[in-house]
């Protein structure tokens, strides 16, 4: 592609070249400056942006301006008027259109030479292979569930050798951003190396749910009154109707009921706006926090892609209410994380059945006393469930299947659950030559 | 259906601004909508980013004064301009005003002809905030002085990004504000007293470096002072430095350190090298980060809500975080 086609006018990439074409104190390990790095970024590197909302719009802008030439963006939502205070790629006349489609169009119009491919669908609708195709995945999501899902998919790509070494080529880096009001975070996840999303699940405070007795007997706050109307009254008084938060009459009814209840209990503060906020779980949002967090994520993506500077290690928090506060923490991987860790190594015969293997685990000294009636799953799929009875019946046939049939030729990591275990036990199953490897299986029953 | 509070806003404002009103409240939003922002100096990437953020948020008006023609250089770091504007004869002010207006029809965005250098002091009376992009130090001081001399307070911000390094200077004179409340507390109104640019820049370095380690002023602050002094002494347009200027910058550093009676090692060569290499360029993502902070500081100042930065914000790519430096430091009671 010639300079005219890509819009590479004289000096266009001068700022990026300053980072990519010279050695210096800030470069990452093994960095070799070369013009090929910029070409690689523009021509070969594929980045996926998940979300085309507050963070997504800013991410697309920053990544495109930073030299990434091939960007895909996925978002299931359509544009709403309340997005316009920060999702700057959208205008009033775009309301109702798919975010991913409009965002891609606007970015390509403004930045010559970048290709942005939109996907207007849920992240779960894409097969795992879709995600495997990208060099980096940048997340601009607004829910724990969505992050959890992508995290599981990306961590499932990890492969460990028979001796437990991580195959570095299976690491797919993720950069995750999140914002709410004046608070935000940006983090780098190198699965298998830095903590994955699941390793640090404790970072996210539990979602606010009120105990039913408080709602029913002793409300104290306007939110209690609103949730009472939402979770209890609607079901009792408008039994046959499904509540639709976008229906103004439904929302008005919710507000009026909540207000009545608040007056009963002498509680002030119920407003229509608060009612919407509580019922729809609205996250307050402003432009600046999204700009800061998205740009931080983009910088990390650039560093990972080019090694031009040492990367964030590995979690940055930002708070903008009191002056400005930022802090970077180096969280550690949870070595027994059920999603990304290697697992306790166990050698087994490829031909042994699942039943024999489970008996082998029970007999293994390392787990003595910890296993009685284990359940086993692999890559999210239940191989055998000890309980409840209905699932036990459904998975019983797997007990007589061989490990190689269930896990594939290379074995793999299985998650083991048991009443006696505090959490999930992650076990790395490696196939050994039964004749040469004396192991606990010799003493396990023939099954 | 409008709430009592929201009845002070138009329906369109209430709809578009809903998510941010949940952050700072209707009162703050109303005050923002009455504010008039004047923008002078060069409109670089960081300024464009900050302007995007405040236009989206709904300030009253933004007036741009930048009669330099749009060039390939000026396009590079900012998303709001497109290559077809290069050599079109349109000024940066006019081009940026048109682009920014598109983000929010509820804000009056306009371009004022001429050069800010020529504007009489009473020109500033209309404005609540002056934002200076890349501008020579003398001009910054002059305009800061004008802001401090008018009948009402005119808040002053100046900001610049070079490569992966950014700086914001804030002067809100005497600023009364309500902090954002911590959970289950009622915030008490506070007052912050800001030094002028002249006062901040003429403060001695030695006491800043003699503070306890946690409070010690970061070397990045002094590095920017060296760059400023060099450009001033060499009569360079801000940003007109290159790798060839490194020896000159190091000498300026050594001279300044000596006259301030501090060790030159307090200002590492490496930082000056990065600034020299960067020249006038900006890394787009760094401009977005510092522009995000700058936008929010402007909003805090016009809404009187939220503790603003006192009085320098500095950012460096390699640290992944920002620093706030108070110069001169607040006296401890």
């Amino acid at each position: 592609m010639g300079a005219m086609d890509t819009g590479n006018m004289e000096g266009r990439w001068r700022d990026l070249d300053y980072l990519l074409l010279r050695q210096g104190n800030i470069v990452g390990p093994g960095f070799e400056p070369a013009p090929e790095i910029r070409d690689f970024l523009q021509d070969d590197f594929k980045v996926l942006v998940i979300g085309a909302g507050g963070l997504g719009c800013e991410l697309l802008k920053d990544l495109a301006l930073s030299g990434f030439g091939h960007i895909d963006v996925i978002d299931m939502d359509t544009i709403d008027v309340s997005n316009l205070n920060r999702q700057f790629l959208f205008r009033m006349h775009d309301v109702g259109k798919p975010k991913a489609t409009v965002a891609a169009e606007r970015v390509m119009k403004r930045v010559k030479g970048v290709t942005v491919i939109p996907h207007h669908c849920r992240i779960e609708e894409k097969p795992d292979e879709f995600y495997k195709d990208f060099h980096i995945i940048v997340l601009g999501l607004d829910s724990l569930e969505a992050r959890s899902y992508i995290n599981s998919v990306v961590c499932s790509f990890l492969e460990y050798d028979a001796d437990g070494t991580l195959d570095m080529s299976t690491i797919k880096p993720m950069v995750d951003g999140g914002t709410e009001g004046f608070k935000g975070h940006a983090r780098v996840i190198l699965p298998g190396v830095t903590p994955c999303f699941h390793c640090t699940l404790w970072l996210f405070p539990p979602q606010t749910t009120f105990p039913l007795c408080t709602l029913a007997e002793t409300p104290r706050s306007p939110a209690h009154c609103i949730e009472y109307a939402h979770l209890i009254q609607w079901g009792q008084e408008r039994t046959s109707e499904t509540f639709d938060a976008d229906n103004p009459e439904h929302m008005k009814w919710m507000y009026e009921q909540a207000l009545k209840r608040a007056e009963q209990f002498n509680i002030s503060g119920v407003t229509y706006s608060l009612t919407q906020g509580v019922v729809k779980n609205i996250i307050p949002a402003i432009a600046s926090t999204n700009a800061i967090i998205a740009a931080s994520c983009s910088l990390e993506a650039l560093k990972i892609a080019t090694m031009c500077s040492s990367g964030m290690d590995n979690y940055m928090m930002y708070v903008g209410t009191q002056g400005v506060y930022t802090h970077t923490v180096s969280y550690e991987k949870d070595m027994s994380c059920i999603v990304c860790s290697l697992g306790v190594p166990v050698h087994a015969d490829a031909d042994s059945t699942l039943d024999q293997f489970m008996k082998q685990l029970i007999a293994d000294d390392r787990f003595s006393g910890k296993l009685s009636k284990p359940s086993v799953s692999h890559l999210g799929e239940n191989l055998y469930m000890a309980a409840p009875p209905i699932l036990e019946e459904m998975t019983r046939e797997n007990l007589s299947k061989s490990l190689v049939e269930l896990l594939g030729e290379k074995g793999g990591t299985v998650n083991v659950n048991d009443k006696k275990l505090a959490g999930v036990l992650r076990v790395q199953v490696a196939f050994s030559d039964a004749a040469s490897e004396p192991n606990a299986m010799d003493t396990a029953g023939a099954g | 259906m409008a709430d009592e509070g929201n009845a002070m806003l138009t329906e369109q404002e209430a709809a578009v601004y809903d998510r941010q009103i949940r952050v700072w409240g209707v009162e703050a939003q109303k005050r923002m909508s009455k504010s008039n922002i004047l923008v002078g100096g060069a409109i670089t990437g960081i300024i464009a980013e900050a302007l995007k953020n405040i236009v989206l948020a709904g300030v009253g008006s933004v007036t741009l004064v930048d009669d330099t023609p749009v060039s390939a250089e000026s396009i590079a770091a900012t998303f709001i301009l497109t290559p077809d504007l290069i050599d079109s004869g349109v000024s940066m002010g006019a081009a940026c005003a048109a682009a920014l207006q598109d983000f929010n029809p509820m804000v009056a965005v306009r371009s004022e002809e001429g050069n800010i250098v020529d504007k009489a002091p009473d020109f500033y009376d209309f404005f609540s905030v002056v934002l200076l992009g890349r501008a020579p130090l003398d001009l910054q001081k002059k305009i800061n002085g004008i802001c401090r001399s008018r009948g009402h307070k005119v808040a002053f911000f100046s900001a610049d990004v070079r490569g992966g390094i950014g700086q914001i200077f804030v002067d809100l004179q005497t600023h009364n504000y309500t902090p954002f409340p911590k959970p289950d507390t009622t915030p008490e109104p506070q007052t912050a007293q800001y030094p002028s640019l002249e006062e901040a820049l003429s403060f001695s370095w030695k006491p800043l470096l003699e503070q306890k380690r946690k409070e010690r002023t970061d070397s990045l602050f002094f590095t920017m002072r060296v760059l400023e002094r060099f450009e001033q002494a060499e009569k360079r347009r801000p940003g007109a430095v290159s790798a060839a200027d490194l020896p000159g910058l190091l000498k300026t550093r050594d001279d300044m350190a000596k006259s301030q009676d501090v060790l030159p090692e307090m200002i590492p060569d490496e930082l000056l090298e990065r600034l020299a290499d960067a020249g006038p360029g900006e890394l787009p993502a760094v401009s977005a980060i510092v522009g995000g902070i700058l936008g929010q500081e402007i909003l805090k100042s016009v809404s009187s809500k939220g503790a603003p930065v006192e009085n320098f914000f500095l950012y460096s790519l390699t640290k992944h975080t920002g620093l706030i430096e108070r110069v001169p430091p607040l006296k401890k009671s």
Side-chain angles (χ1 to χ4, degrees), chain A residues 272-351:
Chain A
Y272 186 74
S273 172
L274 183 65
T275 306
Q276 280 180 308
V278 170
V279 169
K280 287 166 117 180
N281 203 20
I282 290 178
I283 302 173
I286 58 179
S288 63
T289 312
N290 281 301
I292 292 160
I293 295 299
S296 303
C297 290
S298 302
L299 278 177
E300 293 312 310
L302 181 64
K303 291 179 199 174
I304 292 169
T306 63
M307 292 300 287
C308 68
S309 179
S310 57
M312 177 192 294
D313 179 22
N314 47 55
Y315 189 107
M316 183 200 80
M317 302 180 272
Y318 157 80
V319 180
T321 45
Q322 309 275 111
V324 174
Y325 172 79
T326 59
H327 184 56
T328 301
V329 179
S330 180
Y331 287 118
E332 288 183 348
K333 204 168 98 67
D334 178 355
M335 293 313 283
S336 55
C337 174
I338 60 168
V339 177
C340 75
S341 74
L342 169 59
V344 179
V346 170
H347 292 271
D349 188 24
D351 294 328

Side-chain angles (χ1 to χ4, degrees), chain A residues 19-68:
Chain A
L19 267 192
L20 302 182
L21 293 185
R22 54 183 296 281
Q23 275 291 5
N25 312 55
I26 68 171
V27 302
F31 176 75
E32 284 300 329
E36 287 78 32
I37 301 178
R38 183 171 20 94
D39 292 337
F40 169 63
L41 206 59
Q42 284 182 280
D43 302 333
D44 300 312
F45 203 87
K46 289 187 70 180
V47 58
L48 173 65
V49 174
I50 306 192
L55 283 169
C57 287
E58 293 279 344
L59 282 168
L60 290 172
K61 155 178 68 76
D62 296 335
L63 291 168
L65 286 179
S66 298
F68 288 88

Side-chain angles (χ1 to χ4, degrees), chain A residues 224-298:
Chain A
H224 292 154
C225 302
I226 295 164
E227 285 287 62
Y228 181 79
H230 179 213
L231 301 173
I232 297 171
Q233 270 181 287
W234 183 276
Q236 286 175 344
E237 294 174 37
R238 295 179 69 151
T239 340
S240 53
E241 296 172 80
T242 322
F243 174 69
D244 174 8
D246 292 319
N247 182 327
E249 193 278 318
H250 289 196
M251 193 59 78
K252 181 159 172 273
W253 186 92
M254 210 59 86
Y255 164 64
E256 284 165 354
Q257 300 308 312
L259 195 56
K260 266 191 235 155
R261 185 168 176 78
E263 276 159 14
Q264 244 187 303
F265 284 90
N266 250 318
I267 297 169
S268 64
V270 173
T271 62
Y272 186 74
S273 172
L274 183 65
T275 306
Q276 280 180 308
V278 170
V279 169
K280 287 166 117 180
N281 203 20
I282 290 178
I283 302 173
I286 58 179
S288 63
T289 312
N290 281 301
I292 292 160
I293 295 299
S296 303
C297 290
S298 302

